[in-house]
Structures are given as structure tokens and as C-alpha cells.
Amino acid sequence: MAIKDFFQKKRKYATIPSEQSKREIPEGIMSKCSECGTIQYSKELGKNFKVCASCGYHNRLSAMERIEYTLDEGRLFEYDRDMVSEDPLEFPDYTKRLAKSMDSTGLRDAVVTGEGTIGGCPVVIAVMSFDFLGGTLGSVVGEKITRAIETATQKQYPLIIFSASGGARTHESILSLMQMAKTSGALAKFAERGGLFISIITNPTYGGVTASFAMLGDIILAEPGARFGFAGPIVIEETIRQKLPEGFQTAEFNEKHGQLDKVVHRKDMRTTLTKLLELHTVKATKEASANG
């Protein structure tokens, strides 16, 4: 290339959007992956079950998004919709925080319960929301989950619980801790009746939820990369004064060490649940025929 040709050609440079053009872009149209930093259209991310197309990171879902992705046509007959927490200990600012979470999430507390179908099979389902006070286990969460378990026992429906929690709700002290025993006791009665309980761990699940119903499933599944345990890794390292192994408390690490049955990608979760429910239905039918 001649020198004159070099100067005659116009080079194309990337332009920095002006503040005006930035303001013209609708808020929420783009999403940035918190894991790898890839920017993608929010609409496309939603079509991909909110899983990053670049690195496979499973972004957090709201309770209603989870229900939409899981149940047939996203249809849920909701239980105990109007149940709300009170402030029995008069914990500072607790009522304000509850009101703020209600406004931001559209939920009444940190779990949605009800019944629907998956692959045509009726189920009772409970979906926790980390967006509501960190998905903490309080009196209402424990009561709603217990009632859902009791309904599944009565109707002889399989039970599915999606867990996402930071643990027990500090604002309710001992009343929160009591929910661990209450939900576990209800699950024991459910098991005695031969009920199928599929527990699904999502990111993150810690504290009293892990120490109770989340780890009592007949089948325990988890989404890729989901972190779960009782205490968090920082607390454990400070307690034992040792460096934890790579990937500690991730779903993959826990699967390798026998704490769950399978890590299931979000796009495959509904299909996996359908197969498990079909197998359970076939088994129940055969047992009923043999006893008849």
C-alpha cells in the first residue's frame, strides 16, 4: 500500500455513546453476567432460562419465574397467599424491612406454595425466594411449607421444594428455629405415608434450611454452581483455621462427596422432574395393583 493511500483511507473507530443516547436505551434491555461480565439482551437471557450463554452461570430466579419454568403452562393454584409475618419480638425496623420486601418482590413472604402439574402429574410445590429478606426461614415460611407438606400427604401428591435461603430469620429468633423441627416433623409423617419428596437446591441455600427440609429429600437435585451448606466458607475457614478445597460447597463438589443425587442444568430440570414423577407413578400403580 502506498503512503498516500494510507492517508486517503478513513479508519473506523468505535464511538462512545453520548449521555443522551444512553438515556434513550430502555432500562433493563441489557444484562451483565455477574460471573463472566458478558453483556447480553435481557430478552434473550430470559429465553435461555436466565442462564448465561457465555459461561453457563445460572442467574437467580424469582419465585414466579421458577414456577413459570417448572409447572405445565406455568399454572399454579396457590396456597395461603395472604399469610404475612408479624413482629412478635418487636425487632428494630423489622416491619419496615418486611414492607420493603413486599413492595420489591410482589410477594407476601419468602416462599410461594401451591399445586399444579408437571408433565401432567399433579404435584404440591414450594418455591423459596432469596429476593425476600434473603429467603430467610421465618414463622410464615415454615408454616406455609408445613401446610404444603400436609396437603401433599392428604392428597398423596409428590412434593417438590426449591430451596434458596440465607438461613433462619434473625428477626424472629427462637420462633424461626422452631420451623426447622416443624417442617422436618411434617416430612417424617409424609415419608411414613410413602410420599415422594424431591428437594432441589438453588444458589444459595444455607443455615437452617439446609439443616432441615432441604436435605431430607428422597431425591436431592441441585442447579450447576449452586452453593449450599450450613455455615458459609468464610466462617468455616475462620473456625478451623485451614484453607478450604477448591469448589467447596458448590453443587459439583457436594455431588462428588455424596451430598446430593444429581446436578441438573436449569433447561433440563423440567424434563428430569417429569421422568422422576413418571417413574414414581408407575411404581405406585404397580404396588397398588399388587396390594389389590
Side-chain angles (χ1 to χ4, degrees):
M1 178 186 292
I3 294 178
K4 64 177 182 179
D5 293 332
F6 178 83
F7 287 105
Q8 287 175 352
K9 288 182 176 290
K10 290 184 178 181
R11 289 192 172 188
K12 294 183 178 180
Y13 295 93
T15 57
I16 300 175
S18 65
E19 290 301 319
Q20 177 64 31
S21 63
K22 288 180 181 179
R23 287 193 292 268
E24 291 173 353
I25 299 175
E27 185 178 352
I29 195 171
M30 305 296 289
S31 298
K32 182 179 180 179
C33 178
S34 58
E35 188 72 13
C36 69
T38 299
I39 297 175
Q40 49 200 312
Y41 285 107
S42 299
K43 190 174 182 179
E44 293 302 314
L45 184 65
K47 289 180 180 179
N48 198 37
F49 301 94
K50 283 198 169 181
V51 176
C52 178
S54 180
C55 70
Y57 177 72
H58 283 51
N59 289 276
R60 190 176 299 151
L61 295 179
S62 70
M64 301 316 294
E65 286 173 329
R66 181 82 61 185
I67 289 167
E68 182 181 351
Y69 289 145
T70 306
L71 296 180
D72 293 343
E73 300 178 357
R75 292 183 178 179
L76 174 74
F77 175 76
E78 190 172 349
Y79 300 156
D80 305 309
R81 180 181 179 86
D82 297 324
M83 190 179 294
V84 295
S85 292
E86 295 183 350
D87 186 14
L89 305 180
E90 297 182 356
F91 197 94
D93 296 326
Y94 183 34
T95 54
K96 291 181 180 179
R97 295 190 65 182
L98 282 171
K100 184 177 180 181
S101 289
M102 289 181 191
D103 289 339
S104 63
T105 64
L107 303 178
R108 307 290 278 177
D109 216 299
V111 70
V112 176
T113 60
E115 64 183 75
T117 60
I118 300 176
C121 179
V123 297
V124 171
I125 188 170
V127 181
M128 300 191 72
S129 170
F130 193 82
D131 295 331
F132 195 107
L133 287 180
T136 44
L137 176 62
S139 299
V140 165
V141 174
E143 180 65 17
K144 290 181 70 171
I145 289 176
T146 299
R147 290 188 183 192
I149 297 168
E150 291 172 345
T151 301
T153 304
Q154 180 184 9
K155 293 190 172 185
Q156 297 186 329
Y157 285 177
L159 172 70
I160 297 174
I161 300 180
F162 284 89
S163 297
S165 177
R169 188 169 297 180
T170 308
H171 316 77
E172 297 184 17
S173 188
I174 189 65
L175 298 176
S176 173
L177 297 178
M178 288 169 62
Q179 308 310 311
M180 297 168 60
K182 184 165 70 175
T183 53
S184 298
L187 283 172
K189 293 180 180 180
F190 180 69
E192 288 174 2
R193 294 285 297 274
L196 171 67
F197 171 32
I198 303 175
S199 178
I200 304 167
I201 310 294
T202 69
N203 189 46
T205 299
Y206 282 98
V209 170
T210 304
S212 56
F213 58 84
M215 300 306 295
L216 294 177
D218 299 298
I219 300 170
I220 304 176
L221 309 176
E223 290 188 332
R227 292 185 175 274
F228 67 94
F230 182 64
I234 295 176
V235 174
I236 295 174
E237 283 188 339
E238 290 177 349
T239 302
I240 66 175
R241 301 182 184 281
Q242 293 181 26
K243 184 69 176 176
L244 295 172
E246 188 71 25
F248 181 74
Q249 289 190 334
T250 61
E252 292 76 11
F253 182 94
N254 286 327
E255 180 187 29
K256 183 178 179 181
H257 290 82
Q259 286 192 285
L260 58 87
D261 295 296
K262 188 176 181 62
V263 178
V264 181
H265 193 286
R266 187 174 291 164
K267 66 180 176 62
D268 300 322
M269 186 63 74
R270 181 178 149 79
T271 302
T272 300
L273 291 175
T274 299
K275 290 180 179 178
L276 291 173
L277 292 170
E278 288 175 348
L279 288 171
H280 176 71
T281 302
V282 170
K283 179 184 177 183
T285 302
K286 288 183 177 179
E287 289 178 350
S289 298
N291 294 330

